[in-house]
Amino acid sequence: MFCPDAFVSGALEMKHAGDLMALLRADPERLRIIALVHSLHLPDCWIAAGFVRNALWDSLHGRAPSSPSGDIDVIWFDPSQQNAEADLRIESRLNALDASIEWSAKNQGRMHVRNGDAPYQSAFDAMRFWPETATAVAVRYTDNGDLEIAAPFGLDDLYAAIVRPTPRFAAEKRAQFDDRLQRKKWLSRWPLLRIETDVHSRASVA
């Protein structure tokens, strides 16, 4: 049984980190899923994106965190494995643990090719090139049973209910950011969200 303690990725402790840890610790289903992923012992492995973001947005709207739905985004990093079949094998292992979950495993050591970027140096580095600052948040268990949060743009935007493009998506990939806003329909589900496009006022990297 894990007894997670707050532990924050990055050189500086991020504002709001303790609150986010408490929110996750109070969510047995999310803790169960984090434990399942940890049991595979994949290199530089996290659960990211909506798994964390949606729980916090629910909380900001006065709701209990909804059960994780849609893809559970499992990211890991191994640049020596450039074949997508490795991801499929991981998804198969996760399905064997819980087939009711829609698992999506992506080795960030190869995703730079699809995204047209320079090679990423880690899963944390890869998240800097994701579409929104509030989406670039991930969680995992450490081997000591602590919870660890990775958030290259910090947590300020997430806690301010701000949907802001990361620098790459504010510039040459802006059309993809706008398309995501239309497809995801986040404002319908979380009406307190605000769209901000000024990357200069985004949270600092932690």
Side-chain angles (χ1 to χ4, degrees), residues 160-177:
I162 290 173
V163 181
R164 189 192 312 277
T166 60
R168 185 73 185 275
F169 279 78
E172 63 264 39
K173 291 188 174 184
R174 178 57 187 274
Q176 293 183 39
F177 171 78

Side-chain angles (χ1 to χ4, degrees), residues 85-106:
E85 291 182 359
D87 288 332
L88 295 178
R89 288 193 295 269
I90 289 171
E91 290 174 2
S92 179
R93 293 172 65 190
L94 289 167
N95 278 322
L97 295 174
D98 189 335
S100 70
I101 294 175
E102 190 173 348
W103 301 101
S104 174
K106 291 291 184 294

Side-chain angles (χ1 to χ4, degrees), residues 61-79:
H61 283 73
R63 312 166 188 162
S66 55
S67 297
S69 60
D71 290 349
I72 300 296
D73 294 297
V74 177
I75 64 172
W76 60 295
F77 185 81
D78 184 351

Side-chain angles (χ1 to χ4, degrees), residues 49-71:
F51 182 84
V52 179
R53 181 199 63 212
N54 294 359
L56 193 280
W57 282 352
D58 281 338
S59 177
L60 293 177
H61 283 73
R63 312 166 188 162
S66 55
S67 297
S69 60
D71 290 349

Side-chain angles (χ1 to χ4, degrees), residues 2 21 25 34 39-40 54 58 60-61 78 80 94 100 122 127 151 157 162 166 171-172 190 192 203:
F2 286 103
M21 292 290 180
R25 285 198 294 267
I34 296 168
S39 72
L40 298 189
N54 294 359
D58 281 338
L60 293 177
H61 283 73
D78 184 351
S80 71
L94 289 167
S100 70
S122 64
M127 291 166 62
D157 281 352
I162 290 173
T166 60
E172 63 264 39
W190 295 286
L192 298 181

